[in-house]
Amino acid sequence: AVVSTQSTGAGSFTINPRLQRHFCVFAVSFPGQDAQTTIYSNILSGHIEMSKFPMPVKRITEKVLQASIQLHAKINSTFLPTAIKFHYIFNLRDLSNIYQGILYSIPEVTKTGPDFIQLWMHESCRVYRDKLVDERDIETYDKLLIDLCRKIFEDVDESVFKPETNIFTHFSPLRERERERD
């Protein structure tokens, strides 16, 4: 049997010692930046190559990867859990959810580097921004995201970095039919 629990802070409860004595405790730390880069670089480059994205998208993927890891670190240090905001716990699953959304992209829609940046921004907002509960936190997140984009994607026009105009979606059944035709 496997039992898992999170840290005992921020609204979590302790496990009864009489129950806990029957289990071993394993602590797994969050992977370092090098490990994250390796993991997500392989995932992203595999998708980009297999789906035959155009060269402008291929060129921007390393910067998107760098932005993802830096954004996740910044989110973790900025939005800490409190008694009211106990759900402000960001982990590897959140980072993976960004890439899960990106993996639905197709070359017919994502044709340029700015398109890919907007897709990444959309997925980041979907994962992180949607967890935030008050306007001040949302404004802080928007500022963090735009500042990071300006820093990493310095050669891209700033009109790309407007999160409110950033809407993407996927339709899985349609995508599956397209794959079946290929």
Side-chain angles (χ1 to χ4, degrees):
V2 175
V3 175
S4 68
T5 183
Q6 60 186 13
S7 64
T8 57
S12 300
F13 301 101
T14 58
I15 298 174
N16 185 321
R18 290 179 65 201
L19 174 63
Q20 191 174 0
R21 70 181 177 181
H22 297 290
F23 299 95
C24 295
V25 176
F26 294 100
V28 179
S29 61
F30 195 79
Q33 193 167 359
D34 291 341
Q36 292 175 43
T37 301
T38 301
I39 292 166
Y40 294 108
S41 175
N42 287 333
I43 292 170
L44 191 56
S45 62
H47 172 65
I48 297 297
E49 292 300 320
M50 285 183 63
S51 298
K52 297 178 177 53
F53 278 84
M55 189 53 71
V57 174
K58 289 179 183 179
R59 274 186 244 140
I60 203 88
T61 55
E62 284 303 315
K63 287 185 176 183
V64 167
L65 179 67
Q66 178 186 0
S68 297
I69 293 170
Q70 286 184 23
L71 179 65
H72 185 77
K74 195 73 171 163
I75 295 292
N76 264 334
S77 64
T78 304
F79 300 107
L80 300 172
T82 64
I84 295 173
K85 302 171 186 175
F86 58 88
H87 65 285
Y88 279 20
I89 298 172
F90 303 97
N91 54 35
L92 204 56
R93 179 180 295 155
D94 298 310
L95 199 52
S96 296
N97 284 339
I98 292 172
Y99 285 94
Q100 182 179 10
I102 289 174
L103 293 180
Y104 282 112
S105 64
I106 55 175
E108 294 80 21
V109 175
T110 314
K111 298 175 183 175
T112 65
D115 289 345
F116 198 70
I117 292 169
Q118 286 185 321
L119 172 63
W120 170 78
M121 287 178 69
H122 168 80
E123 292 301 328
S124 298
C125 287
R126 183 183 62 82
V127 170
Y128 296 122
R129 191 176 195 260
D130 289 354
K131 277 189 177 182
L132 305 177
V133 293
D134 64 23
E135 285 299 318
R136 192 168 48 101
D137 287 349
I138 292 170
E139 289 169 7
T140 302
Y141 172 81
D142 289 344
K143 184 176 177 346
L144 275 173
L145 182 64
I146 290 171
D147 289 347
L148 182 69
C149 286
R150 284 183 183 139
K151 181 178 133 189
I152 292 182
F153 308 112
E154 53 197 24
D155 55 337
V156 175
D157 182 31
E158 286 198 24
S159 65
V160 172
F161 308 144
K162 294 184 178 175
E164 62 274 354
T165 60
N166 203 357
I167 301 172
F168 284 83
T169 188
H170 71 276
F171 299 99
S172 295
L174 177 63
R175 180 119 194 261
E176 292 303 318
R177 278 186 254 137
E178 289 174 358
R179 284 188 178 169
E180 289 171 5
R181 280 189 276 165
D182 292 341

